[in-house]
Amino acid sequence: MAGGFAVASEARYTGKVTIFVVLSCMMAAMGGVIFGYDIGISGLIASFFASSTTKAYGRKPSIIIGGAAFLAGAALNGTALNIYMLIFGRVLLGVGVGFANQAVPLYLSEMAPPKYRGAFNNGFQLSVGIGALTANLINYGTVKIKQGYGWRISLSMAAVPASILTLGALFLPETPNSLIQCGQNQQQAKQMLQKIRGTSDVDAELHDLISAIENSNTLQNNYNQILQRNYRPQLIMAIAIPFFQQVTGINVIAFYAPIVFRTIGFGESASLMSAVMTGVVGIATTLVSMVLVDRVGRRPLLVAGGLVMFAAQLAVGGIMAGKLGDHGGLSRGYGDVVLVLIGVYVAGFGLSWGPLGWLIPSEIFPLEIRAAGQSVAVAVNFLFTFLVGQTFLAMLCHFKAGIFFFFGGWVAVMTAFVYVLLPETKNVPIEQMDKVWRHHWFWNKIVGSDKQSIDAL
């Protein structure tokens, strides 16, 4: 079983959580704030360019490029004199998000100790939630400005997290994995490992890194390589996990929460504040997920969160179908119930598919195709973020209350998918992750089993 393997293999590594690695990961996680504050479809394309940069020059340069592009985009949008400046600014925002989302989850997963990788990586989703909540609060304040320049404040305030990320990234250390991959000598990587692990006994982890680099150096085209049979499980997960994350319907709540709440009877200001409340719930439950993910594992959280979201969506759909009708509104009592149920749904997402939708793709790929694999995951995420966002209003008009049953059906599918096909990755060192697929009842039929490696542990 994957869980038993995780415990056995993690024991090879020594070390502890150091202040150095905590501060480094906190700064890098600021990339999530700019994603939560503003999402651009141009990040779909930028993530593929970021892959080459991340592999050739390291995670740190990609984070710096992402922060700088987002900063420039925020400046252009806030001072825009015409539609062309707005469009170009939006493109730069998308480029910034694309680079940051490609590099930051990888950075967090590679810097974190295996035993606490989930908690460190979940800091990215925590930052996404903080960014989204900040944007809602700023919008709530600027919408009341009668002189008509509130939109400039909303757009230009994105420069704050971008500035912090860009300046902070200049002082970030590079990950040991990236140091070796980019051609630095092994001694530098060993010194960095000793620094971030707080111990001089890092030989086992360094050995795994060097072995991974030797495999990586034999590849010429990562995107061709990722299509090979032995990487099939990782590629399927890199597509399925971000796809499922978006068809939970979470960005429907993020993008259109004020519209949804006005539809069920809340006033304009009340509906915006309701969106803020759900944002707080998301942040709080992501913190809970950070505590639990390395203790109970990824699979239990995904399944539990899926069941919670499924039940909440069915309940909301049932109330709206029975009480709202085509043109009516809900009573205050039912409106409050729906608000609570949406909060429960957001809590389920914040506990599971929100943070783990970024964690799992960043930790499952071997080093030789890790940057390319993360680019695929980010591109799929952006693509379906865009498609769901663009089609939601049409679906709402067509399906009405049935839209909650539509997304609830997808939640049921993804929960079953995880239960059957996703191996547990808790505590597994990132450079030994290929073994979880060989020990899985289904995937070992595709990639082959490795009974000898189990006996050797």
Side-chain angles (χ1 to χ4, degrees):
M1 296 296 290
F5 165 72
V7 174
S9 61
E10 196 280 326
R12 295 181 57 217
Y13 290 0
T14 60
K16 57 187 178 182
V17 177
T18 63
I19 295 297
F20 181 71
V21 76
V22 170
L23 293 177
S24 297
C25 290
M26 286 177 62
M27 180 54 64
M30 283 295 296
V33 176
I34 66 174
F35 178 49
Y37 196 97
D38 195 304
I39 301 173
I41 187 58
S42 50
L44 175 62
I45 307 300
S47 62
F48 289 107
F49 289 100
S51 170
S52 300
T53 304
T54 300
K55 182 178 181 182
Y57 302 105
R59 285 51 169 152
K60 177 179 175 178
S62 286
I63 296 174
I64 294 173
I65 292 172
F70 199 90
L71 178 60
L76 273 178
N77 280 176
T79 59
L81 301 177
N82 52 55
I83 188 65
Y84 302 107
M85 290 181 69
L86 281 173
I87 292 173
F88 187 57
R90 295 293 294 179
V91 169
L92 288 175
L93 292 177
V95 170
V97 169
F99 269 80
N101 283 24
Q102 199 279 337
V104 169
L106 294 184
Y107 185 94
L108 297 175
S109 287
E110 291 179 349
M111 288 290 282
K115 187 176 180 180
Y116 302 105
R117 185 175 60 246
F120 276 84
N121 194 283
N122 282 9
F124 181 77
Q125 176 64 23
L126 179 67
S127 296
V128 172
I130 292 172
L133 176 60
T134 301
N136 274 327
L137 289 171
I138 291 174
N139 289 338
Y140 183 69
T142 57
V143 75
K144 300 178 182 297
I145 298 176
K146 297 180 180 179
Q147 289 82 355
Y149 59 83
W151 64 273
R152 291 188 182 274
I153 297 176
S154 293
L155 294 177
S156 60
M157 285 297 291
V160 175
S163 299
I164 296 173
L165 176 65
T166 305
L167 295 176
L170 294 174
F171 301 96
L172 284 179
E174 188 56 90
T175 70
N177 316 58
S178 190
L179 285 174
I180 298 179
Q181 188 175 42
C182 295
Q184 301 297 320
N185 63 59
Q186 296 176 10
Q187 187 60 31
Q188 285 181 290
K190 183 175 183 178
Q191 290 173 351
M192 181 57 66
L193 268 178
Q194 291 172 337
K195 190 172 185 179
I196 65 177
R197 299 293 181 249
T199 178
S200 59
D201 183 14
V202 295
D203 290 342
E205 188 169 1
L206 181 65
H207 176 268
D208 287 342
L209 291 182
I210 295 171
S211 298
I213 291 298
E214 291 174 351
N215 291 331
S216 176
N217 290 339
T218 64
L219 303 184
Q220 299 299 320
N221 189 315
N222 291 334
Y223 289 107
N224 285 340
Q225 193 76 13
I226 203 174
L227 297 176
Q228 293 187 3
R229 183 182 179 91
N230 55 317
Y231 300 125
R232 192 73 48 78
Q234 295 96 322
L235 178 60
I236 289 174
M237 292 300 167
I239 295 172
I241 296 295
F243 165 74
F244 285 143
Q245 187 189 51
Q246 294 311 308
V247 295
T248 59
I250 188 62
N251 276 334
V252 171
I253 299 299
F255 291 161
Y256 298 110
I259 296 175
V260 172
F261 288 133
R262 284 202 298 272
T263 300
I264 63 177
F266 289 89
E268 184 171 352
S269 294
S271 66
L272 191 53
M273 277 309 298
S274 299
V276 171
M277 290 170 56
T278 57
V280 172
V281 171
I283 292 173
T285 49
T286 300
L287 285 169
V288 174
S289 180
M290 293 175 70
V291 174
L292 295 178
V293 66
D294 293 308
R295 298 183 181 183
V296 303
R298 283 66 160 150
R299 280 166 42 88
L301 288 183
L302 287 172
V303 171
L307 293 175
V308 169
M309 289 190 290
F310 179 71
Q313 285 173 316
L314 290 187
V316 171
I319 291 174
M320 293 184 70
K323 300 298 180 179
L324 183 61
D326 290 341
H327 306 289
L330 292 177
S331 67
R332 181 56 186 269
Y334 279 112
D336 290 341
V337 171
V338 168
L339 176 60
V340 170
L341 287 171
I342 289 179
V344 171
Y345 159 79
V346 172
F349 181 84
L351 183 69
S352 59
W353 282 92
L356 302 189
W358 293 105
L359 167 62
I360 292 170
S362 73
E363 68 179 359
I364 60 175
F365 282 97
L367 184 60
E368 59 265 27
I369 56 168
R370 188 171 298 150
Q374 180 67 9
S375 292
V376 171
V378 172
V380 171
N381 187 290
F382 282 157
L383 175 61
F384 285 96
T385 296
F386 174 76
L387 292 177
V388 171
Q390 292 300 306
T391 59
F392 168 70
L393 288 180
M395 288 194 296
L396 181 61
C397 293
H398 181 73
F399 292 152
K400 300 180 176 64
I403 195 167
F404 290 96
F405 299 125
F406 172 80
F407 287 117
W410 278 113
V411 171
V413 170
M414 67 184 70
T415 303
F417 176 89
V418 164
Y419 184 79
V420 174
L421 293 177
L422 182 69
E424 182 57 68
T425 56
K426 178 186 71 171
N427 293 339
V428 181
I430 194 169
E431 302 304 347
Q432 296 183 16
M433 197 63 68
D434 62 311
K435 293 176 182 173
V436 303
W437 310 105
R438 299 176 190 171
H439 303 163
H440 189 268
W441 71 270
F442 176 79
W443 296 118
N444 66 17
K445 297 178 177 64
I446 296 176
V447 301
S449 63
D450 191 7
K451 186 175 184 302
Q452 291 78 13
S453 67
I454 301 177
D455 296 336
L457 292 174

